[in-house]
């Protein structure tokens, strides 16, 4: 029986402190939002589970620290994680055993800032967020289990209301008594995994099916003579398929395909897995066969292991009235071998957090929140379509003399590379909406509206320091307005810039009640050369701090940076205004004198009524 | 009266916890040496003082963490410091005021890994060391003042003796009583600054003189319309000379030349400074005149300021019987404007620490310790010779119509760039000694014996990760033996490598009583291509861990690294053995089959008798 009954209000309640929940919590806390996060587990994950970080996710981590220029949360990932630079492919050789067919770059995304995948134990990834949150005085409340949720539908459009009521059960090992608490929230984010309580409580259905593909996973420190044990390696052998994912330190994860031929003893008559019969030793024995002629020793211990059937499903909707949202595994599940799961999950939160923040602060109408489902449900569906192709190709028999209809290396490689932009996360392209207006695309040829801001090294005008433009655009909840001035060292151009800046200032002043920098940051990029540029010749709005004025030139040594206008497809005479959303995606672009386009963009969602 | 008398033995006692003392302490502690450090100050420096970090010092900081690959102590410097990429030069223009004459790269050292100077408040630099030391359970004992030192000369050659006795006075603000303590040490390092107590107690004289150049220094957050306030700027005006050194955040340091014309009121009749008459406001007024026509506002407060006369002196010797050593300002003083002081000081400690460690551990004879004075006294003398030229050129009147004999920009720039290798620290070239054997030079054309190991990106054979070779050679007190194998994927070459490795293993086994990796690390670099290399085809000694086997190829994307053999001037057929000293300097080089050269090198100083 509950010993006390508390009742409290919070702007955002997050249910679940895995990567998706923590990413959302960190992003909201960085924006200064009143947020609370609960989890039913006693502690963070200790071993195993998801651990692949894709290039775009690295960029998002790097942007996830608004306070310290160029040292975001990616820092610890890069220091502690394993980096996967090469993908190796092994196929049956002439003597029956496998042989090296090909090695290619693991990431096929030429604009990736970090051109590799990274692996790190999920517990470490959670730690990075937990430490960041601790710095903002936010702790995960655990173990806490939600027991009921109610949404007052007649209040969903009331900006001042707390229309959601959630009852929480606190339990503690040390004391036997339970504490019941009722929370009133403006928004709830269900980040509570594939078996999401939030999703079920709100009757959101999952669409899709279980596949027939069954996989075993073992984490171990291998002893082997296999030369590609530290590369991401796909083995297609006549004795089954296997994927090697190197991990931090000397550890390796093996994904081992299980079928009736190699794992009949685990399978029930209806094709399901009988978990009581599986041991990691048996899984490794299956892997050993596909490694032949290379040897893989049976280790003394396994760090972690599991068996799973691939389920490929997407939630029918991602929110209830844009008040309760689900993110991550709660709204999409797919196979882990392409290393997408945690990335897709954190990407959901990254997409959602700033939108909630803007609406809470009164800077945008609630229509902004609809773009979450528009953008992320599409993406989840694409992911599952890809996953089906990938899983079926990977699970297919290799093409050999005896199996001419099998999967050829060329087929597999083509698939691997065609989807490189997608799997790396770099190619994510959000469809048109109030915050993604591709009708403006013509103003920047290569900077694509709906895609993330392309990485580019510019030089700070005042101190010649090379800076990555992505580092100038941290996830601090503000829109970044990049003003490409052209050659501001030319008097005529400077006059045009001054005229344009007056209009820009007047618009953003209007949009922010005179407090421009609360919701916007303004960065200027001139084509003036480093030899003669004077950073302080620009209007003050374009250099609110000296570090905000950049030039498109190489660094002092002449070896780094330059060609930014060309890489972005911006005309040096026309200049440009580029609006980057708080999540790093290009929202709208205009010529320097095209302020009306910018006005129309923000007016479409910043006004509440 | 002393309340207690303790008597304790320690291997190394360091007097003084400024940058030189802390660098020595950190290096010794990393080597596992029993070390103690005392300082007379209550706390670390709070503001001002030295703050320029040169490119080579950044490399040394980066190497100063043996535990965490590629994340050395440079990390915090790079994150928090100001980076100086450009040097700007202003001279009198046609209208009397100054104008921009030139901008050039601040660092003229093409091989610098970090091609910029860095500035950071000395207290922050001390913090980096203090935090590192805390991680090894070493704390600075303070405030503690040494009151006597005795060296028993008849015991200096006894490896087991503690021939130095130092009496220490502990004082504390909270209690009025003093504690006296007597320490017996094997070695003492005097890192106690320009007025070194250790130096004076041992009667080491300083050779050189005071100059006539007097400078004022102010640290402030400037308000100005001067366009190069964030660059390292030399101003030569008709109203005096001034040097701008940007610092962390928005701060700037100004060095202001004082002479009878602009600062007569501060000077006594014999040309000395009357400090009672100086204020930072008066110093800034002098600077304001040289900034004309640009304006520089008088700030509300100054973070720090001082006035000094340049003294250019070197100690007559750097040690007493290679038992008591002096490092840093205790053995050389010079002007601060070229930003050399702290770098030279920390460089002394970096040079000395590993030598003491090797002798203490019984891995080398005491003759090794003589190389400290040989190497660092020469360097200090070079520094002062440079400093004299630099100071006199910088202090000279600028060349104008009315002053045709003045210093021209061309003169000054030539000097600035000619000495770029020297001032960056990159060009330091140690003369021949038992640990620097340039007779072997012919084996590596561009990797110069006596200079620091050239930075170069190689690729790890096992996982294709690009690694900077300097990061493979941390300051862990061990010699790094780089084995350049040639193309180990060729059968004939591999056989040669196997034969050479047997000899290498036998030599290092002999040198280390069978415990090779206690004093040596072995890294192999093959020219096998990334497409076909098998890291595990090499003999085990060349891949004691999979991360130790490198190849000279570009990374997976084909954009980074490669050409290492060419950059080092190593013949791909001959291969090479490169011995890198524990401080990162090349000691000896040989062809792959030239093990006799390597044997002779180590035998010359590793044997005690």
């Amino acid at each position: 029986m509950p010993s006390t009954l508390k009742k409290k209000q919070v702007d955002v309640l997050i249910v679940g402190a895995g990567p998706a929940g923590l990413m959302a919590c960190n992003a909201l806390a960085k924006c200064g939002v009143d947020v609370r996060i609960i989890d039913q587990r006693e502690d963070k994950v200790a071993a195993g589970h998801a651990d692949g970080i894709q290039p775009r996710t690295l960029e998002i981590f790097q942007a996830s620290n608004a306070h310290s220029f160029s040292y975001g949360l990616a820092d610890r990932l890069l220091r502690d994680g394993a980096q996967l630079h090469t993908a190796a492919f092994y196929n049956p050789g002439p003597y029956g055993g496998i042989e090296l067919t090909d090695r290619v770059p693991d990431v096929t995304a030429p604009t990736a800032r970090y051109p590799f995948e990274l692996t790190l134990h999920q517990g470490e990834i959670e730690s990075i967020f937990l430490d960041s949150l601790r710095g903002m005085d936010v702790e995960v409340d655990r173990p806490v289990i939600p027991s009921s949720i109610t949404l007052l539908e007649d209040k969903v459009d009331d900006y001042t209301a707390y229309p959601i009521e959630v009852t929480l059960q606190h339990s503690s090992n040390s004391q036997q008594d339970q504490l019941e608490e009722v929370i009133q929230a403006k928004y709830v984010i269900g980040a509570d995994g594939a078996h999401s309580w939030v999703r079920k409580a709100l009757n959101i259905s999952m669409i899709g099916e279980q596949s027939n593909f069954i996989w075993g996973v073992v984490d171990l420190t291998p002893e082997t003579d296999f030369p590609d044990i530290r590369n991401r390696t796909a083995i297609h052998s006549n004795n089954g398929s296997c994927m090697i994912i190197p991990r931090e330190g000397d550890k390796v994860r093996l994904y081992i395909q299980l079928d009736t031929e190699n794992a009949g003893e685990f399978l029930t008559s209806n094709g399901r897995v009988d978990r009581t019969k599986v041991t990691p030793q048996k899984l490794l024995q299956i892997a050993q066969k596909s490694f032949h002629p290379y040897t893989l020793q049976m280790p003394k211990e396994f760090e972690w292991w599991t068996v799973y059937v691939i389920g490929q499903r997407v939630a029918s909707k991602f929110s209830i009235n844009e008040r309760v949202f689900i993110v991550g595994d709660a709204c999409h599940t797919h196979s882990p071998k392409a290393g997408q799961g945690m990335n897709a999950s954190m990407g959901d939160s990254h997409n959602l957090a700033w939108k909630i923040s803007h609406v809470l602060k009164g800077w945008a109408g609630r229509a902004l929140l609809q773009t979450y489902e528009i953008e992320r449900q599409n993406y989840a569906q694409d992911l599952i379509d890809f996953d089906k192709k990938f899983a079926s190709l990977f699970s297919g028999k290799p093409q050999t003399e005896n199996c001419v209809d099998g999967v050829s290396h060329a087929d597999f490689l083509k698939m691997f590379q065609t989807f490189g932009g997608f799997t790396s996360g770099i190619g994510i392209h959000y469809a048109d909406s109030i915050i993604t207006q591709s009708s403006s695309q013509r103003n920047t040829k290569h900077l694509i509206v709906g895609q993330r801001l392309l990485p580019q090294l510019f030089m700070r005008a005042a101190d010649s320091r090379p800076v990555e433009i992505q580092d100038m655009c941290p996830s601090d909840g503000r829109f970044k307005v990049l003003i490409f001035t052209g050659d501001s060292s030319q008097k005529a151009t400077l006059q045009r810039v001054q005229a344009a800046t007056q209009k820009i200032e007047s618009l953003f002043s209007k949009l922010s009640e005179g407090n421009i920098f609360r919701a916007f940051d303004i960065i200027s990029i001139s084509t003036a050369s480093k030899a003669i540029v004077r950073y302080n010749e620009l209007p003050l709005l374009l250099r609110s701090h000296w570090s905000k004025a950049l030039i498109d030139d190489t660094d002092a040594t002449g070896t780094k940076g330059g060609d930014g206008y060309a890489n972005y497809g911006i005309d040096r005479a026309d200049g440009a205004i580029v609006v980057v959303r708080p999540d790093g995606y290009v929202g709208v672009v205009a010529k320097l004198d095209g302020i009306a386009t910018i006005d129309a963009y923000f007016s479409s969602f910043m006004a509440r009524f």
Side-chain angles (χ1 to χ4, degrees), chain A:
Chain A
M1 201 180 132
S3 58
T4 319
L5 196 76
K6 300 197 268 176
K7 192 155 178 169
K8 227 164 57 181
Q9 290 187 328
V10 67
D11 283 350
V12 184
L13 172 69
I14 300 172
V15 181
L22 289 170
M23 169 69 90
C25 188
N26 189 65
L28 287 165
K30 289 270 179 205
C31 294
V33 168
D34 171 33
V35 61
R36 188 161 161 202
I37 182 165
I38 62 167
D39 196 279
Q40 62 178 23
R41 296 170 298 166
E42 289 272 339
D43 201 356
K44 64 185 168 74
V45 159
H49 297 276
D51 64 358
I53 309 273
Q54 297 296 338
R56 174 57 189 157
T57 309
L58 281 171
E59 294 179 0
I60 290 174
F61 266 84
Q62 176 66 2
S64 292
N65 191 341
H67 300 304
S68 175
F69 165 70
S70 92
Y71 274 75
L73 298 184
D75 201 34
R76 253 171 81 178
L77 290 177
L78 293 171
R79 189 182 62 199
D80 298 332
Q83 296 179 7
L84 280 50
H85 291 264
T86 289
F89 302 89
Y90 280 72
N91 285 287
Y95 306 110
I98 54 170
E99 64 175 19
L100 175 64
T101 311
D102 207 355
R103 284 178 184 155
V104 302
D106 184 47
V107 169
T108 313
T111 70
R113 180 172 177 191
Y114 307 99
F116 46 84
E117 280 182 85
L118 187 141
T119 56
L120 187 62
H121 158 39
Q122 184 175 326
E124 272 305 300
I125 292 164
E126 293 183 11
S127 282
I128 290 173
F129 284 123
L130 294 174
D131 290 347
S132 171
L133 286 171
R134 208 160 286 136
M136 299 183 285
D137 287 324
V138 180
E139 294 274 351
V140 177
D141 210 350
R142 66 168 102 213
V144 173
I145 299 170
S147 57
S148 79
I149 182 167
T150 328
L151 172 61
L152 303 175
E153 296 211 2
D154 56 332
K155 291 201 176 161
V156 294
D157 289 326
D158 177 353
Y159 283 87
T160 61
Y162 292 79
I164 315 158
E165 208 164 270
V166 184
T167 308
L168 305 179
Q169 310 296 331
H170 293 253
S171 65
S172 126
N173 275 349
S174 49
Q175 297 158 254
Q176 280 306 311
D177 50 7
Q178 273 209 334
L179 196 69
E180 186 169 285
E181 183 187 15
V182 178
I183 297 259
Q184 291 182 326
K186 288 187 172 171
Y187 296 94
V188 167
I189 299 176
D192 48 350
H195 304 290
S196 172
W197 174 88
V198 173
R199 186 188 71 221
K200 289 174 189 163
L202 295 166
N203 280 316
I204 300 175
S205 58
M206 293 295 276
I207 297 170
E209 68 270 348
Q210 291 285 91
S211 73
N212 295 320
F213 302 121
I214 306 170
W215 291 82
V217 188
V218 291
D219 283 1
L220 74 162
T221 299
E223 272 201 60
T224 181
D225 58 357
F226 185 67
D228 284 80
I229 194 71
R230 298 300 313 168
N231 286 325
R232 181 199 232 283
T233 302
I235 296 176
H236 286 99
S237 86
N238 293 327
N239 304 307
S241 296
C242 181
M243 174 83 87
I244 302 171
I245 307 284
R247 297 186 42 194
E248 67 271 24
D250 293 339
K251 291 176 202 148
V252 156
R253 171 167 293 182
L254 301 180
Y255 288 99
I256 303 148
Q257 195 192 356
L258 306 179
D259 56 31
T260 47
E261 277 180 46
N262 66 15
E265 63 164 317
F266 303 153
L267 306 181
T268 62
S269 53
N270 58 2
R272 290 181 170 272
V273 181
D274 180 351
R275 283 171 192 270
T276 62
K277 293 189 179 151
V278 187
T279 66
Q281 287 78 13
K282 289 184 189 169
L283 293 174
L284 196 80
Q285 281 163 7
I286 297 170
Q288 283 171 329
K289 287 180 195 150
S290 61
F291 267 68
H292 178 76
Y294 297 100
T295 58
L296 176 62
Q297 307 295 319
M298 180 64 66
K300 290 210 181 84
E301 50 176 12
F302 291 86
E303 199 205 349
W304 186 74
W305 67 276
T306 192
V307 173
Y308 65 91
V309 178
I310 299 173
Q312 292 158 321
R313 289 182 288 200
V314 181
S316 56
K317 47 187 174 181
F318 278 31
S319 90
I320 303 289
N321 296 115
E322 289 82 41
R323 282 290 184 174
V324 183
F325 298 91
I326 48 176
V327 298
D329 290 351
C331 47
H332 42 75
T333 63
H334 30 81
S335 73
K337 285 179 317 305
Q340 295 301 309
M342 188 166 55
N343 299 274
S345 295
M346 294 193 291
D348 290 343
S349 297
H350 180 67
N351 181 284
L352 176 61
W354 71 270
K355 297 172 181 174
I356 292 181
S357 167
H358 273 241
V359 174
L360 277 173
K361 290 178 178 171
W363 301 343
R366 286 184 27 82
L368 176 60
L369 298 171
Q370 293 166 2
T371 64
Y372 168 64
E373 185 176 286
I374 294 172
E375 297 185 331
R376 298 304 294 181
Q377 197 179 34
N378 270 346
Y379 171 71
Q381 194 55 57
D382 289 349
L383 188 57
I384 282 176
D385 294 345
F386 157 74
D387 193 49
K388 283 184 181 165
K389 290 180 199 156
F390 186 81
S392 99
L393 215 53
F394 191 74
S395 299
K397 282 267 169 206
Q399 190 177 59
T400 57
E401 267 181 40
N402 300 326
C403 180
V404 288
D405 295 334
V407 179
S408 73
H409 172 62
D411 295 341
F412 193 69
L413 183 63
K414 190 179 161 199
M415 155 90 153
F416 184 83
Q417 295 188 325
T418 304
F419 285 95
F422 185 76
T423 55
S424 65
I426 297 298
I428 290 178
H429 190 150
Y430 291 133
D432 265 24
S433 72
I434 49 175
I435 52 170
T436 307
Q437 302 189 354
S438 70
S439 55
S440 65
Q441 182 62 67
R442 67 191 176 283
N443 299 302
T444 62
K445 210 163 149 193
H446 309 310
L447 202 56
I448 308 299
V449 176
Q451 294 196 7
R452 63 87 159 94
L453 179 65
L454 286 172
Q456 171 69 37
L457 216 51
F458 291 106
M459 201 176 93
R460 289 207 299 224
D463 70 349
S464 321
R465 179 169 172 168
V467 291
E468 168 52 54
I469 190 71
Q470 286 195 345
D471 285 334
M472 301 286 289
C473 301
S475 301
D476 58 4
R478 298 188 295 172
F479 281 85
K480 311 302 178 303
V481 184
L482 313 185
I483 312 289
F484 291 82
T485 63
D487 187 354
S488 57
S489 66
Q490 301 290 323
K491 208 166 182 182
T493 307
L494 186 58
Q495 283 170 352
R496 280 185 49 216
V497 171
Q498 284 160 339
T501 301
Q502 280 191 356
K503 291 182 190 163
I504 293 168
E505 185 151 12
S506 141
L507 169 64
F508 286 102
S509 208
K510 181 189 83 181
L511 290 170
S512 59
E513 297 160 326
N515 191 356
I516 296 181
F517 295 100
R518 74 173 190 192
F520 304 100
D521 197 9
I522 294 178
I523 296 157
S524 63
I525 299 131
S526 168
T527 61
S529 84
K530 61 178 178 261
I532 59 159
V533 66
R534 286 176 295 164
Y535 80 96
N536 50 7
E537 71 199 346
L538 290 169
L540 202 58
L541 185 75
L542 306 192
R543 52 175 178 99
S544 57
H545 184 261
W546 56 262
S547 61
K548 303 288 182 183
L550 310 181
I551 58 174
D552 184 21
D553 200 348
T554 53
D555 74 338
T557 67
T559 57
K560 283 184 188 170
D563 293 329
Y565 275 61
N567 294 340
Y568 282 1
I570 292 174
D571 187 285
R572 294 166 83 93
D574 290 342
I577 304 174
V578 171
V579 173
V580 182
R581 300 166 18 170
D583 55 3
Y585 287 77
V586 178
V588 69
V589 293
K591 291 202 171 25
L592 183 59
D593 59 9
I595 192 73
T597 305
I598 308 298
D599 193 349
Y601 174 79
F602 284 110
S603 302
S604 75
F605 63 90
M606 287 197 79
R608 282 192 167 183
F609 308 106

